[in-house]
Amino acid sequence: AGEKAVFTLMPNEHNQLEEGEHVEMIFTIEEVILNRRFSYSSDMDGLKFVFDLVPEESGTRVHINMDGFELSLANLKAFAEGRELPNR
């Protein structure tokens, strides 16, 4: 916890980045509970992402909770409808 992580988004069929472009996103790891929970927050906008792991008979169920979930849903809807993404 407290360490930084950098995710680099590269051009692909799911975004509008041009060849040679990339977007770096910096996150701070908030909490790590081995085999139970992992969370981090975006340094850019403060959105927090939480992944809870719940053992089940046939494997592991992953629960994801993030502050900006509604923004992602709006982007998914726009993408499915062939419109420009409202939240970049």
Side-chain angles (χ1 to χ4, degrees), residues 12-75:
N12 64 54
E13 66 272 8
H14 304 291
N15 63 43
Q16 297 174 356
L17 294 175
E18 299 291 329
E19 187 65 35
E21 278 187 287
H22 70 279
V23 176
E24 282 191 353
M25 299 171 284
I26 302 172
F27 296 89
T28 300
I29 298 170
E30 299 283 333
E31 183 178 28
V32 179
I33 301 173
L34 189 61
N35 299 322
R36 291 190 48 221
R37 173 176 275 196
F38 179 79
S39 67
Y40 57 88
S41 61
S42 167
D43 288 11
M44 183 174 69
D45 54 19
L47 292 177
K48 185 172 182 176
F49 302 81
V50 180
F51 299 83
D52 286 311
L53 308 175
V54 180
E56 293 190 348
E57 282 185 34
S58 61
T60 302
R61 182 177 301 267
V62 179
H63 295 271
I64 302 170
N65 182 9
M66 64 183 237
D67 294 339
F69 188 67
E70 58 280 342
L71 301 178
S72 293
L73 287 178
N75 278 352

